[in-house]
Amino acid sequence: MIEHLQRFFVAATILRCAVGSERRSLPVRAKGDAPSAFANTSTIRVPRGLTVIERKLMAVHNSDVVAMFQEMADLLELEDESTFRIRAYRQAATTIDELGRNLGQMIENGEDLSELQGIGKDLAGKIERIIETGSFDDLEELRKRTTPSLRELTHIPQIGPKRARLLHEKLGIENLDDLEDAVNEGRLRELKGFGKRAEEQILSAMETGRRKKERRLLSEVEEAAESLEAFLNSLNGVKDACVAGSYRRKAETVGDLDSVVSSSQPGKIIDQFVEYEDIDQVINKGKASSSVLLRSGLQVDLRVVKPESYGSALIYFTGAKNHQLTLRDMALDKDQKLNEYGLFDKKDKQLAGKTEKDIYKAFNLAYIEPELRENRGEIDAAAKQNGLPKLIDIDDIRGDLHCHTTWSDGRASVEKMAETAKERGYDYLAITDHSKRMQMVNGLSGKDLRKQAEEIKKVDEKIKGLTLLAGCEVDILEDGTLDLSDDDLNDLDVVICSIHSNMNLSSRKQTDRLLRAIENPNCQIIGHMRGRKVLERDEIDIDLERLLKEAKDAGCAIEINADPHRRDLDENGVRFALDIGLKFTVSTDAHSAAGLDQMKYGVWTARRGWVEKKDVLNTGTMNSLRKALRSR
DNA sequence: GCCGTTTTCGGCCCGACTGTTTTCAGTCG
């Protein structure tokens, strides 16, 4: 949390400094840091009179650039700028968000950012400017020229940029408080386009504090999605039903539940749907679609289509948007049209639509699994014979190589963990408690590990059909040395090396730290390499590509941590690692017996990174696993 | 602002729903 706040503070400092009217320059490079393209080595401007304490600035994160491009797009919308210019900023933001590589690092490597999808010379220049100064001129001017607080208004459902602007121009409304006052004083209804319903909607949104949907972890929405899907399938007149969207693609986070139902009686389905017991509020209810809020605040968007359109509706609502748009472009190239109702020729004759396979086939493409539909080359691959990967499956996993027990901060005993692994049908399980540096979780010393090994051996003998491996998740210290000596580690079957402290070192120091760990022959697996927590904590700053290459040369495997909060290495890193020939382990980092069930999230990340069974060490037998782990 | 069986400028996804209107603009996904 502290780390998060620090990052926020630094980002806020950069932004505040950059908008000051009177400016002077201040070099802010921290002592000992190497020159780089990051903000921590550049000159930033600060307003006169602001007391400046020398502070080590973080590298500019891709997410900072994304936020600025989104803000730019929002402010342009409030100015009624051309939709295409706005869309260009949003498209660029999406590209950067999904990039998986640090922009500053790319610039440092001399790469041309304008080669990225949707980023031309102009935006490439603006990105460089952001990384140098923390902002860019057009945004600063726009912030001055417009009323940035109007963005708040668009957080109210059914109020978009046009209505926000109207409210500002006609009633002088600048923020949510002004809006509430205007409603209460009856001024809103004087405005053309606003009536009783608008007043109700605004007051309701104020009351519930409802804002535009926030994203949630996949694991947090799973139960709701499964119940919803079961409910939809149980309705009268339903032929098929599916929760699509990012939930179906098994993304790390989910914004809402996009659902599709196949039925020839749409109205009847919608009528039954709005009676779903988990619904808190019906946002809208049409003839063939409806949006509702569940009690948890999660939004569900339902669309009902005829059976002959179910496949195309699934493709449409599963997304990702750019996957679906690429298909649409392909249709246009052939003088055809693809929408949620099917693929149509010039005369509007349906060519395909009943199943997803039919649609892909009409484009001469192999079926593309939902996890791959991110417009990351899957369509090109599907056009080639055997071009798509044969994705790893949860059933391919034969053991878990990362879990904790009551010896450190786990909640179950060695025996309980072993029994549970056996029940899951695993061939092996590695017990990998924390090392001594992690004092707050009772990390183990070399002596403790030897004692634990005796217990592991006993349990191993007791539980037939499962091989219990003695291991450790060893801390990588700030200087890159390991928390335990070679002597302590030599006898272990599995050594995972992870970072748990000093998460905010400079990119150079953090990279050097991991390089040193990788050089250590005891480092068989690097655990949760990015150190991030989804929606909670940024990743550590490292030269990921360099580290992955070094790991490959050294024979280290990279963990795909299956904890739904981590999913680390992330899918973009996985894809890069895969391309350079690295091997992975997929493990849960379970801290309880139930935690072993989290394996699916790791498998989903692997699948989203195009990983096959052969790329993962713990899909092999005990013997092949021993051979595949780095020899010491 | 990007892109291009490009080269200098035109096209850029599109359908459902809502509220207020009386045929449509704005919003959303």
Side-chain angles (χ1 to χ4, degrees), chain A residues 163-173 179 188 191 194:
Chain A
R163 283 181 180 154
R165 196 153 45 88
L166 189 72
L167 289 167
H168 184 230
E169 283 170 3
K170 301 284 183 191
L171 300 178
I173 289 169
L179 180 60
L188 195 75
L191 224 53
F194 289 88

Side-chain angles (χ1 to χ4, degrees), chain A residues 585-602:
Chain A
T585 62
V586 184
S587 299
T588 60
D589 199 353
H591 284 68
S592 66
L596 292 170
D597 282 337
Q598 297 182 340
M599 185 61 84
K600 59 189 176 185
Y601 303 105

